[in-house]
Amino acid sequence: MERVALGLPVEPGNETRVARLLRRLPAAPAGEARTETVATFTAPRRVLHIADTTGGLDGLVADLTAHPDVAAGLRELCGMPHRLSAASYLIRARLTRWAHYARPYPARLTVRRRALLYPVRPGKGEELRRLLAAGVAPGTSQQLASALISSTIFARQDLVVRFWEATADPAEELDNIARVVPRSGLGAKLNRLLDVEQDLTTDAGFRAFFTGCAMSPVPGAGAWARP
């Protein structure tokens, strides 16, 4: 399966409703699903929807738009222009996968899924996604590095998102990142690329930035197929 992502602009206050709309489709019988929701997140005015699919972006869009509630909901909740079809709107919301790491893991492990939406300075999206695509920050503990199940950078122009799956405790992970990044040189580079008030070369500044940019996960998952 291919991992694809949509970054939908949403009318203020409708973020959770849009996220649930994309996730509430009925489950397909075992072995028949060609699209499986991985995770859905919200941030102010934005919904991030990530799926694994055998049909790529076209397959995901076809599956979504096969359900009339999705098209109607997008028009109502996202301010979708009337001149656009639901399929065209979703295709325009595609985020390109710039870097992806994944490894197999035992089903017994508890995997936590998280996402950051970066406040990018105008015109700095390409430089940021190249920086983030370099991988795990130097100095990351071996324990936390080995807890990483997957990491993906999705971007479209100045919209840049990091999505990752890990078995590490979130508080422990943040403690490590807030200690490592400011001292690794990445903090200074991020200061230049991001529109933030915090100083990312300090532990407290990076911690506040990281917490503020974290997207909110929307519960529920399922695999489904076109009717």
Side-chain angles (χ1 to χ4, degrees):
M1 282 191 167
E2 177 185 357
R3 181 155 294 181
V4 298
L6 301 173
L8 281 74
V10 179
E11 293 292 308
N14 289 336
E15 296 88 354
T16 300
R17 292 177 66 190
V18 171
R20 289 175 176 168
L21 176 73
L22 298 176
R23 298 187 65 94
R24 72 185 184 188
L25 301 175
E32 293 184 15
R34 75 174 194 181
T35 298
E36 180 178 354
T37 295
V38 174
T40 309
F41 297 87
T42 64
R45 298 175 178 265
R46 186 72 58 180
V47 170
L48 172 68
H49 186 66
I50 301 170
D52 287 340
T53 174
T54 59
L57 176 67
D58 290 342
L60 174 60
V61 169
D63 286 344
L64 287 172
T65 56
H67 296 263
D69 286 352
V70 172
L74 291 176
R75 199 169 301 281
E76 174 190 356
L77 302 173
C78 298
M80 187 177 84
H82 286 282
R83 70 179 186 278
L84 286 182
S85 66
S88 296
Y89 185 76
L90 291 171
I91 289 171
R92 291 187 179 195
R94 177 185 188 171
L95 300 179
T96 300
R97 192 179 75 181
W98 291 104
H100 177 63
Y101 160 83
R103 67 176 180 85
Y105 63 94
R108 59 182 170 78
L109 294 180
T110 299
V111 177
R112 299 175 175 88
R113 295 176 171 90
R114 296 188 277 279
L116 285 185
L117 175 62
Y118 291 88
V120 182
R121 293 185 187 276
K124 297 296 184 181
E126 180 178 357
E127 190 173 351
L128 175 63
R129 57 97 172 162
R130 291 185 184 278
L131 176 67
L132 298 175
V136 177
T140 298
S141 71
Q142 181 59 40
Q143 178 181 354
L144 285 178
S146 62
L148 186 65
I149 300 300
S150 79
S151 177
T152 312
I153 304 300
F154 293 108
R156 184 180 70 249
Q157 298 176 336
D158 286 341
L159 176 59
V160 180
V161 173
R162 177 193 286 276
F163 167 71
W164 74 102
E165 301 168 293
T167 59
D169 176 77
E172 180 185 3
E173 187 176 54
L174 178 55
D175 285 343
N176 180 86
I177 295 172
R179 183 178 65 254
V180 168
V181 172
R183 294 166 173 77
S184 69
L186 292 177
K189 293 177 181 178
L190 290 172
N191 273 342
R192 183 172 55 83
L193 300 175
L194 301 180
D195 186 10
V196 293
E197 297 180 357
Q198 300 90 354
D199 181 359
L200 305 187
T201 64
T202 68
D203 295 17
F206 189 87
R207 182 182 292 272
F209 150 77
F210 189 95
T211 302
C213 293
M215 303 187 77
S216 300
V218 177
W224 45 275
R226 294 179 66 183

